Structures are given as C-alpha cells and as structure tokens.
C-alpha cells in the first residue's frame, strides 16, 4: 500500500487549498501535478480526457465525501465550487493530528500536497492545461492510462 492510499490525497488537496477549489477540472489538474511533480509512488491513476489528465477515482471519492457530509458542491454556475464542510474541517484536524503521531510518512505527503497548492493553487484550470507536463500527457490517446513515470 503506497503512502497515498493511506493518506487520502484527494481530501487533503481540498483541505490544503483553503477548503475550496474552483471547478472539477482544476481539482483534477492539481492532483495530476501532485502525482507528476511530487511523488514517484502515487496511488492516483490518470486517464486522458479532452482537457487533459483526469483522475477517475476523484468522482468516486467525491460521491463518498458528499455522502459523508465532508464536501459540498455548488453546481449553480460554472466552474462548480467544491468546498469542505465544517464537519470536514473537524475531521481533517483530528486526522492530521493522529497521522502526525502514528505515521512517519504522513508529514512528507502533507508537505508535497502543500507544495503543489503553493505552486499551482492560484492558477486556473486553463492555465494549468497550458503547462508542458499536461500538454505532454495530452499526446497520449484518449482514455488511455497515463504512466506515472517521468
């Protein structure tokens, strides 16, 4: 089991982004940049869609987070705003305190996600799509799994 599988990078990305991410496309690109730039052993898998790398596991995770009341999605206008709830903030506070004590690798994952957010969090999904790593990924056939190798 990789550190990602134990550390919930999808939920951590939202939390480290100040609890809000503007749009699903941006969420996918942040996760791709994390997996591409920060870690060699990410458990996140990506396929290529029309606008670049897409994490099919994010949709499943989002349904679970919505069902648990950890996130809410404002779908009234585009891009959809994804936000953590107060329940999620409390959960993440306890989760992080516990993981910091019990899992030596957790701090590394947290630092990598924070670095991704600091490098790319202020960019729009469109700005991230223009980056070389995403353009290189777009050279793969649609719906094909993207290799994690750099």
């Amino acid at each position: 089991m990789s550190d990602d599988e134990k550390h919930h990078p999808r939920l951590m990305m939202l939390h480290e982004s100040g609890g809000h991410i503007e749009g699903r496309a941006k969420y996918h690109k942040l996760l791709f940049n994390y997996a591409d730039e920060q870690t060699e052993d990410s458990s996140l898998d990506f396929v290529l869609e029309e606008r670049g790398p897409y994490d099919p596991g994010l949709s499943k995770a989002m349904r679970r987070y919505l069902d648990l009341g950890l996130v809410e999605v404002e779908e009234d206008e585009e891009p959809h705003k994804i936000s953590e709830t107060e329940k999620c903030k409390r959960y993440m506070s306890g989760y992080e305190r516990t993981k910091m004590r019990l899992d030596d690798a957790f701090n590394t994952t947290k630092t990598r996600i924070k670095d991704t957010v600091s490098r790319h969090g202020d960019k729009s999904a469109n700005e991230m799509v223009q980056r070389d790593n995403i353009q290189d990924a777009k050279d793969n056939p649609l719906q094909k799994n993207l290799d994690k190798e750099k």
Side-chain angles (χ1 to χ4, degrees), residues 120-136:
H120 304 289
D122 62 343
K123 297 176 182 145
S124 69
N126 189 49
E127 289 173 308
M128 283 190 270
V129 166
Q130 303 308 314
R131 295 190 68 247
D132 287 342
N133 66 334
I134 293 179
Q135 289 300 311
D136 290 345

Side-chain angles (χ1 to χ4, degrees), residues 10-11 21 31 35 40 48 66 77 87 101 104 122-123 137:
R10 294 175 184 101
L11 193 55
I21 295 177
L31 289 168
E40 294 178 11
L48 186 64
L66 285 165
E77 52 188 76
K87 180 179 179 180
R101 288 186 192 121
D104 294 335
D122 62 343
K123 297 176 182 145

Side-chain angles (χ1 to χ4, degrees), residues 79-101:
H80 303 314
K81 185 175 184 179
I82 303 157
S83 302
E84 68 180 351
T85 62
E86 286 301 316
K87 180 179 179 180
C88 183
K89 290 176 188 175
R90 289 189 309 272
Y91 170 79
M92 289 303 293
S93 175
Y95 175 78
E96 288 181 346
R97 279 194 318 271
T98 302
K99 280 294 199 181
M100 289 289 214
R101 288 186 192 121

Side-chain angles (χ1 to χ4, degrees), residues 9 30 33 37 39 48 62 71 81 115 119 124 134 139 150:
L30 283 169
N33 281 322
E37 298 172 353
T39 182
L48 186 64
M62 287 302 292
V71 300
K81 185 175 184 179
D115 187 50
R119 293 175 71 197
S124 69
I134 293 179
D139 290 338
K150 296 181 182 176

Side-chain angles (χ1 to χ4, degrees), residues 15-146:
H15 185 69
E16 293 300 327
S17 294
H20 306 284
I21 295 177
E22 292 290 328
R24 291 180 178 115
K26 181 173 180 172
Y27 208 148
H28 286 284
K29 301 311 170 268
L30 283 169
L31 289 168
F32 179 76
N33 281 322
Y34 161 72
D36 185 53
E37 298 172 353
Q38 298 292 328
T39 182
E40 294 178 11
D41 63 344
S42 177
S43 64
L44 300 174
D45 289 319
F46 293 88
V47 296
L48 186 64
E49 293 288 335
E50 186 177 321
R51 290 193 39 105
Y54 170 83
D55 170 18
L58 180 60
S59 295
K60 182 178 177 184
M62 287 302 292
R63 281 192 298 280
R64 191 171 59 246
Y65 300 154
L66 285 165
D67 290 346
L68 292 170
L70 298 176
V71 300
E72 50 194 21
V73 179
E74 291 179 23
E75 297 191 26
D76 294 341
E77 52 188 76
E78 291 284 338
H80 303 314
K81 185 175 184 179
I82 303 157
S83 302
E84 68 180 351
T85 62
E86 286 301 316
K87 180 179 179 180
C88 183
K89 290 176 188 175
R90 289 189 309 272
Y91 170 79
M92 289 303 293
S93 175
Y95 175 78
E96 288 181 346
R97 279 194 318 271
T98 302
K99 280 294 199 181
M100 289 289 214
R101 288 186 192 121
L102 301 176
D103 186 344
D104 294 335
F106 179 76
N107 195 40
T108 301
T109 300
K110 184 174 173 63
T111 300
R112 289 173 175 170
I113 288 175
K114 274 184 157 182
D115 187 50
T116 299
V117 170
S118 72
R119 293 175 71 197
H120 304 289
D122 62 343
K123 297 176 182 145
S124 69
N126 189 49
E127 289 173 308
M128 283 190 270
V129 166
Q130 303 308 314
R131 295 190 68 247
D132 287 342
N133 66 334
I134 293 179
Q135 289 300 311
D136 290 345
K138 286 176 76 172
D139 290 338
N140 288 294
L142 291 181
Q143 294 292 330
K144 181 181 180 218
N145 279 347
L146 298 173

